[in-house]
Short mmCIF file of all heavy atoms in Angstrom, two decimals:
data_model
loop_
_atom_site.label_atom_id
_atom_site.label_comp_id
_atom_site.label_asym_id
_atom_site.label_seq_id
_atom_site.Cartn_x
_atom_site.Cartn_y
_atom_site.Cartn_z
N PHE A 674 -8.75 -40.89 -10.32
CA PHE A 674 -9.84 -40.91 -11.26
C PHE A 674 -9.36 -40.74 -12.71
O PHE A 674 -9.74 -41.44 -13.60
CB PHE A 674 -10.87 -39.78 -11.00
CG PHE A 674 -11.88 -40.19 -9.98
CD1 PHE A 674 -12.12 -39.41 -8.85
CD2 PHE A 674 -12.65 -41.31 -10.17
CE1 PHE A 674 -13.10 -39.74 -7.93
CE2 PHE A 674 -13.65 -41.69 -9.24
CZ PHE A 674 -13.89 -40.89 -8.14
N ASP A 675 -8.37 -39.82 -12.87
CA ASP A 675 -7.83 -39.54 -14.15
C ASP A 675 -7.08 -40.81 -14.72
O ASP A 675 -7.23 -41.17 -15.90
CB ASP A 675 -6.85 -38.35 -14.13
CG ASP A 675 -7.55 -37.02 -13.80
OD1 ASP A 675 -8.77 -36.97 -13.95
OD2 ASP A 675 -6.84 -36.11 -13.34
N VAL A 676 -6.32 -41.46 -13.84
CA VAL A 676 -5.66 -42.65 -14.29
C VAL A 676 -6.62 -43.75 -14.66
O VAL A 676 -6.50 -44.43 -15.72
CB VAL A 676 -4.70 -43.16 -13.15
CG1 VAL A 676 -4.13 -44.57 -13.45
CG2 VAL A 676 -3.58 -42.19 -12.89
N LEU A 677 -7.67 -43.92 -13.86
CA LEU A 677 -8.63 -44.98 -14.20
C LEU A 677 -9.39 -44.64 -15.46
O LEU A 677 -9.67 -45.55 -16.26
CB LEU A 677 -9.62 -45.12 -13.01
CG LEU A 677 -9.06 -45.58 -11.68
CD1 LEU A 677 -10.14 -45.55 -10.60
CD2 LEU A 677 -8.58 -47.05 -11.86
N GLU A 678 -9.70 -43.39 -15.66
CA GLU A 678 -10.44 -43.02 -16.88
C GLU A 678 -9.58 -43.27 -18.11
O GLU A 678 -10.03 -43.75 -19.14
CB GLU A 678 -10.88 -41.61 -16.81
CG GLU A 678 -11.82 -41.16 -17.92
CD GLU A 678 -12.38 -39.77 -17.69
OE1 GLU A 678 -11.93 -39.11 -16.80
OE2 GLU A 678 -13.37 -39.48 -18.46
N THR A 679 -8.27 -42.95 -18.00
CA THR A 679 -7.34 -43.16 -19.09
C THR A 679 -7.25 -44.66 -19.40
O THR A 679 -7.24 -45.09 -20.55
CB THR A 679 -5.95 -42.61 -18.80
OG1 THR A 679 -6.11 -41.18 -18.55
CG2 THR A 679 -5.00 -42.83 -19.92
N ALA A 680 -7.09 -45.47 -18.35
CA ALA A 680 -7.04 -46.93 -18.53
C ALA A 680 -8.31 -47.47 -19.15
O ALA A 680 -8.24 -48.38 -20.01
CB ALA A 680 -6.79 -47.58 -17.21
N ALA A 681 -9.43 -46.93 -18.77
CA ALA A 681 -10.69 -47.39 -19.37
C ALA A 681 -10.76 -47.06 -20.85
O ALA A 681 -11.25 -47.85 -21.65
CB ALA A 681 -11.88 -46.74 -18.64
N GLY A 682 -10.27 -45.91 -21.21
CA GLY A 682 -10.33 -45.54 -22.59
C GLY A 682 -9.33 -46.34 -23.44
O GLY A 682 -9.60 -46.65 -24.61
N ASN A 683 -8.20 -46.79 -22.82
CA ASN A 683 -7.21 -47.56 -23.61
C ASN A 683 -7.51 -49.04 -23.63
O ASN A 683 -7.21 -49.68 -24.63
CB ASN A 683 -5.80 -47.29 -22.99
CG ASN A 683 -5.40 -45.89 -23.16
OD1 ASN A 683 -5.80 -45.14 -24.08
ND2 ASN A 683 -4.44 -45.38 -22.32
N GLU A 684 -8.07 -49.60 -22.59
CA GLU A 684 -8.17 -51.04 -22.46
C GLU A 684 -9.60 -51.59 -22.48
O GLU A 684 -9.81 -52.75 -22.57
CB GLU A 684 -7.47 -51.57 -21.19
CG GLU A 684 -6.01 -51.12 -21.12
CD GLU A 684 -5.36 -51.56 -19.84
OE1 GLU A 684 -5.96 -52.44 -19.14
OE2 GLU A 684 -4.31 -51.07 -19.46
N GLY A 685 -10.57 -50.69 -22.31
CA GLY A 685 -11.99 -51.11 -22.24
C GLY A 685 -12.39 -51.30 -20.80
O GLY A 685 -11.58 -51.51 -19.90
N GLY A 686 -13.70 -51.38 -20.59
CA GLY A 686 -14.23 -51.44 -19.25
C GLY A 686 -13.96 -52.77 -18.57
O GLY A 686 -13.98 -52.84 -17.33
N SER A 687 -13.71 -53.84 -19.29
CA SER A 687 -13.59 -55.14 -18.65
C SER A 687 -12.41 -55.24 -17.76
O SER A 687 -12.41 -55.97 -16.70
CB SER A 687 -13.51 -56.20 -19.74
OG SER A 687 -12.32 -55.99 -20.54
N SER A 688 -11.33 -54.53 -18.06
CA SER A 688 -10.11 -54.65 -17.22
C SER A 688 -10.00 -53.52 -16.26
O SER A 688 -9.00 -53.40 -15.55
CB SER A 688 -8.83 -54.72 -18.17
OG SER A 688 -8.78 -53.49 -18.89
N LEU A 689 -10.95 -52.63 -16.26
CA LEU A 689 -10.87 -51.41 -15.43
C LEU A 689 -10.87 -51.71 -13.94
O LEU A 689 -10.01 -51.19 -13.16
CB LEU A 689 -12.01 -50.49 -15.72
CG LEU A 689 -12.08 -49.21 -14.90
CD1 LEU A 689 -10.83 -48.36 -15.20
CD2 LEU A 689 -13.31 -48.41 -15.27
N LEU A 690 -11.71 -52.67 -13.49
CA LEU A 690 -11.84 -52.91 -12.09
C LEU A 690 -10.50 -53.50 -11.49
O LEU A 690 -10.03 -53.09 -10.50
CB LEU A 690 -13.01 -53.88 -11.84
CG LEU A 690 -13.27 -54.23 -10.32
CD1 LEU A 690 -13.59 -52.94 -9.60
CD2 LEU A 690 -14.42 -55.22 -10.24
N GLY A 691 -9.92 -54.45 -12.31
CA GLY A 691 -8.66 -54.98 -11.84
C GLY A 691 -7.55 -53.97 -11.80
O GLY A 691 -6.77 -53.94 -10.88
N ALA A 692 -7.54 -53.05 -12.81
CA ALA A 692 -6.53 -52.06 -12.82
C ALA A 692 -6.68 -51.11 -11.63
O ALA A 692 -5.71 -50.72 -10.99
CB ALA A 692 -6.61 -51.23 -14.09
N GLY A 693 -7.94 -50.81 -11.28
CA GLY A 693 -8.20 -49.92 -10.19
C GLY A 693 -7.73 -50.50 -8.88
O GLY A 693 -7.11 -49.86 -8.04
N VAL A 694 -8.07 -51.77 -8.61
CA VAL A 694 -7.71 -52.47 -7.41
C VAL A 694 -6.15 -52.56 -7.29
O VAL A 694 -5.57 -52.34 -6.25
CB VAL A 694 -8.35 -53.82 -7.27
CG1 VAL A 694 -7.83 -54.58 -6.11
CG2 VAL A 694 -9.87 -53.67 -7.25
N GLY A 695 -5.54 -52.90 -8.39
CA GLY A 695 -4.02 -52.98 -8.38
C GLY A 695 -3.43 -51.66 -8.07
O GLY A 695 -2.50 -51.55 -7.26
N LEU A 696 -3.93 -50.56 -8.65
CA LEU A 696 -3.43 -49.23 -8.38
C LEU A 696 -3.67 -48.83 -6.92
O LEU A 696 -2.79 -48.30 -6.29
CB LEU A 696 -4.09 -48.19 -9.28
CG LEU A 696 -3.71 -46.73 -9.08
CD1 LEU A 696 -2.25 -46.55 -9.41
CD2 LEU A 696 -4.58 -45.89 -9.97
#
Side-chain angles (χ1 to χ4, degrees):
F674 274 127
D675 294 340
V676 171
L677 292 173
E678 188 171 11
T679 301
N683 293 336
E684 303 178 15
S687 60
S688 61
L689 178 62
L690 184 58
V694 174
L696 177 64

